[in-house]
Amino acid sequence: MRATILTLSGILIVAGVVAGGYLLSLANSFDSKSETITEAFPAETARPAVQETASDATNILLLGSDERGGSGETENLVGVPNAGRADSMMLVHIPGNREGVYAASLMRDMWVGVPDRGEHKLNAAYSFGGVPLTVQTVESLLDTRIDHVASIDMEGFEGLTDAIGGVDINVPIAFEPRHLDGHFFEEGAQHMNGEQALAFVRERYAFKDGDYQRVRNQQLFVKAVLGKLLDRDTLTNPGRVASVVDSLSPYVGVDNSLNAAKLAQLGVGLSGVRKDDLHFFTLPTAGVGRSADGQSIVLPDTEAIDALGEALSTDEVAAYMAANDL
């Protein structure tokens, strides 16, 4: 799966639809069909302290994998059978006042310190230590505690997109996808079914800036999906809600504490959130470069990342985005 998922707000998707009602049957469906990441977090001694100033906020790390052709499809995520290596990450911040959702895409090739392993690309943490080391790496990068973890396989988004009747996306750059023969994405607004949406969010080779544009496309996709899920016509349609949960659940892995009951609790708090309250941005970078051993890497903007970490720790992400014109 790509950086959407991120991309991806699969957790928020489930939270939103569960909050729409039909709790018991949906909870049973989600809990029985989704996977549990049995080892999601590092040792407590290796984690940042809980920040009292942000104790009501929630941070969720979304890990994306792509079994149908990801960059490391033979490397399984700990606790999630056949999930493949994560090709993307998104940190979702839900503020204590529950008045919005803030999602930061983390570039998978960002050059960071992996605890006890030295400097590597961010997604190398999966290969070295699975989900726990990935969580520890992101927590170390931002000096911020992660409350929950979810892994989502990109294939699930094809079924999800079809379950909600497709999505409307304003394509910023025209391109021919490598993953959908004979199709061409024109620039401008267009309706996409599941197969087309999957090709849209997977593509990176068609763009001059590669993963950067892919991340932006995935953010557009996630916002379109969430906007439709949060629409009253979806939340008041029992059949559509059940179809969404059934379509996505088999492709989702969650930590032990992120079950349907917790998602419902989050969803209730977010019941007033709509599409305009969803805010997406990319963890600040300082361009591209090469590592000492010749790898093509994304350079972190250390100062900006430190400022974001402080904003997360004080539950002031909205102010951070405003100050940085994000």
Side-chain angles (χ1 to χ4, degrees), residues 216-262:
R216 291 190 286 269
N217 286 350
Q218 290 172 352
Q219 291 171 348
L220 289 173
F221 168 73
V222 174
K223 190 166 187 176
V225 169
L226 287 174
K228 198 159 187 179
L229 286 170
L230 293 169
D231 185 80
R232 186 175 182 83
D233 290 342
T234 296
L235 294 179
T236 58
N237 185 329
R240 178 168 288 183
V241 171
S243 179
V244 167
V245 175
D246 284 343
S247 297
L248 188 60
S249 296
Y251 299 96
V252 173
V254 293
D255 69 79
N256 287 325
S257 63
L258 196 58
N259 55 20
K262 180 62 179 181

Side-chain angles (χ1 to χ4, degrees), residues 175 177-180 185 194-203:
F175 68 94
R178 298 173 69 244
H179 302 288
L180 188 57
F185 287 100
E195 184 181 29
Q196 293 164 345
L198 185 59
F200 177 73
V201 299
R202 294 176 76 192
E203 185 60 48

Side-chain angles (χ1 to χ4, degrees), residues 68 91 144 217 241 304:
R68 294 204 272 178
L91 180 65
T144 300
N217 286 350
V241 171

Side-chain angles (χ1 to χ4, degrees), residues 1-72:
M1 158 164 168
R2 308 302 175 189
T4 315
I5 303 136
L6 331 126
T7 178
L8 258 218
S9 310
I11 294 305
L12 297 179
I13 290 171
V14 177
V17 297
V18 171
Y22 334 113
L23 180 58
L24 183 59
S25 62
L26 293 179
N28 289 337
S29 178
F30 179 80
D31 286 342
S32 64
K33 293 182 179 180
S34 61
E35 296 281 352
T36 298
I37 305 175
T38 55
E39 298 177 50
F41 299 100
E44 186 62 31
T45 55
R47 308 188 66 194
V50 175
Q51 296 294 325
E52 293 301 323
T53 53
S55 59
D56 293 330
T58 301
N59 295 320
I60 303 172
L61 182 62
L62 298 174
L63 312 176
S65 61
D66 188 359
E67 283 193 80
R68 294 204 272 178
S71 65

